Amino acid sequence: MLENLIVESLEELPLLFNKNYIAFIAEKTRSITVDDQEFTLYTAEELSAKITIDGLVVSNVYALKGYVKTIKEFLGPNTMDQKGNQFSMLMLAASKVIGHDNGNLLFLDAHDSKSIYIFHPDGGDLTKTKLKLNTIIKNA
């Protein structure tokens, strides 16, 4: 059975994220800077918006599932971060996208739902940031 990759209503989002995060993005349009790159955080409406990635229709929050479907054919079961640490394609697919910049996606690591990474679709690699979700909420 295929997992539902579409957010049907905004009421589903609190099930996917920390309640403080949903309130944080509801206040106003937000952005964060990582290594001089500014990422726009998705609003609740944008998180649930439908997009098509390699023929798979998903909500933005699930965009990594669409990319993993294709890149695992080339990279195998793992991808890597900037330090050469392996990151499982299964965990990447389970991670939630929270923002974007120039095609790169900002996401929460499915391991802890707090660590923030950047996914680079052009190479399938990752950049682990020093940011944590609770830190960006607290420092806003």
Side-chain angles (χ1 to χ4, degrees):
M1 187 164 111
L2 186 61
E3 179 182 359
N4 184 8
L5 304 177
I6 305 294
V7 175
E8 299 293 341
S9 74
L10 297 180
E11 287 75 34
E12 292 177 41
L13 291 176
L15 302 173
L16 302 175
F17 294 100
N18 165 319
K19 68 178 179 177
N20 295 329
Y21 184 70
I22 299 302
F24 174 72
I25 60 173
E27 291 176 7
K28 63 181 183 176
T29 301
R30 304 268 188 183
S31 63
I32 59 173
T33 302
V34 180
D35 298 330
D36 297 326
Q37 188 175 2
E38 189 171 339
F39 286 85
T40 302
L41 299 179
Y42 286 127
T43 63
E45 292 79 14
E46 290 169 330
L47 285 170
S48 61
K50 295 177 191 173
I51 57 171
T52 303
I53 301 170
D54 292 333
L56 184 66
V57 178
V58 298
S59 289
N60 275 320
V61 69
Y62 296 122
L64 292 170
K65 291 180 188 288
Y67 286 108
V68 165
K69 178 183 165 196
T70 300
I71 65 171
K72 72 180 178 182
E73 295 174 18
F74 302 102
L75 298 178
N78 299 301
T79 188
M80 291 188 197
D81 69 14
Q82 74 273 26
K83 293 184 178 178
N85 297 316
Q86 290 191 349
F87 198 98
S88 156
M89 291 291 182
L90 290 173
M91 290 308 291
L92 182 59
S95 297
K96 306 292 186 273
V97 174
I98 61 170
H100 64 97
D101 179 53
N102 291 328
N104 295 322
L105 301 176
L106 200 64
F107 72 92
L108 296 176
D109 182 356
H111 286 105
D112 64 11
S113 297
K114 296 175 186 172
S115 299
I116 298 176
Y117 282 78
I118 301 167
F119 173 71
H120 308 277
D122 55 349
D125 56 316
L126 312 173
T127 300
K128 183 176 183 177
T129 74
K130 294 178 182 178
L131 298 173
K132 299 286 185 196
L133 184 63
N134 57 353
T135 306
I136 65 169
I137 294 171
K138 187 169 46 171
N139 293 335

